Amino acid sequence: MARKFDHLLEKHNLKKTAPRNSVLEILSTRDVATSQPDLEGIIGKDIDRVTLYRILKTFEEKGIIHKIIDINGTANYAFCHGDCSEHHHQDEHIHFNCVSCQGVYCINDVSIPHINLPQGFSAHAISMIVSGVCDKCQSSSEENA
Amino acid sequence: MARKFDHLLEKHNLKKTAPRNSVLEILSTRDVATSQPDLEGIIGKDIDRVTLYRILKTFEEKGIIHKIIDINGTANYAFCHGDCSEHHHQDEHIHFNCVSCQGVYCINDVSIPHINLPQGFSAHAISMIVSGVCDKCQSSSEENA
DNA sequence: TTAAGTGCAAAATCTTTGCAAATGT
DNA sequence: ACATTTGCAAAGATTTTGCACTTAA
């Protein structure tokens, strides 16, 4: 039974199971990163909570999705753009975390500036999260004004 | 019984209690941010875990300390530099999170560059965490090479 | 067939809440 | 004396672990 993400899973030596397909299906429909609690809510009882944990962990390790820790310390997941692989996440873009709707957006068009670190420090990855109000929440608050 | 941080607590209309003094004492001896688990370890059973939660929450609200969520989603705490107040955290500097020792450093001498967000988005705060290897872990790994 | 993946139950953590006792002012 | 803060107990939430059952290859 061919499913939408068979190729992706195959590529990473993962078995093509229904739960994995569902998770990929959900993430693919969303343009923003999705928090673990939200994922649980969407999936409901179709997938066991433990299975979800394991799927997300596996996908992250394989470089299929990446994890974004938001300003509350909650994990959010989104598809990797560009060249993520098992050993390197190419994820050096900015994320925007709305304080109102909690949404996490990938701001792809603004790249992270280069940073000069003190002697002896070497950087592997950079996480930059801008928190504030997103466009949707901005306009809905104007309506009520 | 005058204690080291009486003035600081007074300034924020907080009672000068032993647990609060201990927390401030610990944080003041450390040049890096301290994770909640580490704090618990240092404090041991002198302070109830719940009390620690509440103290940290209060201090953060008052602008005495600030919370840094590290790359693992764990809360780390450090004294506020500059002008933090109850209503605004002036905390726009870079943090460095060592993947080896887990230490969180405040990189004060490098300021966060200005970011242009898409239309409709407004920024309130910025969190920038560089992860990699700190100077101490760097040199200790060289010794073993 | 068999190794990988899932689901359930249960343990281990982490965080919050309620309330009585203790403490600072 | 009074409001705040603490400590304990208990509830709630999150995350991990173990193991038997199921499924893809």
Side-chain angles (χ1 to χ4, degrees):
Chain A
M1 73 300 270
R3 274 172 300 200
K4 206 170 170 184
F5 298 100
D6 283 2
H7 176 65
L8 182 59
L9 291 170
E10 214 165 68
K11 184 175 141 192
H12 291 281
N13 297 311
L14 297 171
K15 290 193 178 173
K16 304 154 196 160
T17 67
R20 284 176 177 165
N21 203 74
S22 299
V23 171
L24 293 173
E25 192 76 58
I26 291 168
L27 291 181
S28 70
T29 62
R30 323 197 103 217
D31 55 338
V32 300
T34 311
S35 71
Q36 170 123 6
D38 281 0
L39 272 173
E40 280 178 24
I42 296 164
I43 290 171
K45 55 176 179 47
D46 294 342
I47 302 180
D48 187 78
R49 182 198 290 263
V50 175
T51 301
L52 180 57
Y53 274 105
R54 291 194 271 228
I55 288 177
L56 293 172
K57 191 180 176 192
T58 303
F59 283 180
E60 202 208 346
E61 285 167 358
K62 293 288 186 177
I64 297 172
I65 59 178
H66 64 263
K67 171 159 60 173
I68 306 134
I69 301 289
D70 69 19
I71 49 172
N72 307 305
T74 306
N76 288 255
Y77 295 92
F79 269 103
C80 285
H81 320 272
D83 325 306
C84 287
S85 70
E86 187 149 0
H87 299 299
H88 181 66
H89 273 269
Q90 179 63 41
D91 184 26
E92 312 252 312
H93 56 277
I94 294 169
H95 292 108
F96 184 90
N97 197 179
C98 180
V99 294
S100 174
C101 67
Q102 304 295 323
V104 174
Y105 299 80
C106 297
I107 309 288
N108 287 302
D109 29 318
V110 183
S111 61
I112 292 182
H114 180 260
I115 299 299
N116 290 307
L117 293 171
Q119 261 299 321
F121 287 72
S122 61
H124 294 171
I126 292 186
S127 157
M128 187 160 182
I129 298 187
V130 180
S131 59
V133 181
C134 74
D135 54 349
K136 284 168 194 153
C137 292
Q138 190 91 264
S139 54
S140 62
S141 68
E142 277 162 13
E143 283 164 22
N144 304 333
Chain B
M1 77 301 268
R3 274 171 302 200
K4 206 168 169 183
F5 299 100
D6 283 3
H7 175 67
L8 182 58
L9 292 170
E10 215 164 65
K11 185 175 139 193
H12 291 280
N13 297 311
L14 297 171
K15 292 196 176 172
K16 304 153 196 161
T17 68
R20 284 175 176 165
N21 202 74
S22 300
V23 171
L24 294 173
E25 192 75 57
I26 291 168
L27 291 181
S28 69
T29 62
R30 324 197 102 218
D31 56 337
V32 300
T34 311
S35 70
Q36 170 126 3
D38 281 359
L39 272 173
E40 280 179 23
I42 296 165
I43 289 170
K45 57 175 178 48
D46 294 343
I47 302 179
D48 187 80
R49 184 195 291 262
V50 175
T51 302
L52 180 57
Y53 274 105
R54 290 194 272 228
I55 288 177
L56 292 172
K57 191 180 177 191
T58 303
F59 284 180
E60 203 208 344
E61 285 168 357
K62 293 290 185 175
I64 296 173
I65 61 178
H66 64 262
K67 171 157 62 172
I68 306 133
I69 301 289
D70 69 18
I71 49 173
N72 307 304
T74 306
N76 288 254
Y77 295 92
F79 270 102
C80 285
H81 320 271
D83 326 305
C84 289
S85 70
E86 187 150 358
H87 299 299
H88 181 65
H89 271 269
Q90 178 64 42
D91 184 27
E92 311 251 311
H93 57 276
I94 294 168
H95 292 108
F96 184 91
N97 197 177
C98 180
V99 295
S100 174
C101 68
Q102 302 296 323
V104 174
Y105 299 80
C106 297
I107 309 288
N108 287 301
D109 29 316
V110 183
S111 62
I112 292 183
H114 180 261
I115 299 299
N116 291 306
L117 293 170
Q119 263 297 322
F121 287 72
S122 61
H124 294 171
I126 293 186
S127 156
M128 185 159 181
I129 299 188
V130 180
S131 59
V133 182
C134 74
D135 53 349
K136 286 168 194 153
C137 291
Q138 190 90 265
S139 53
S140 64
S141 68
E142 276 163 13
E143 283 164 22
N144 303 336

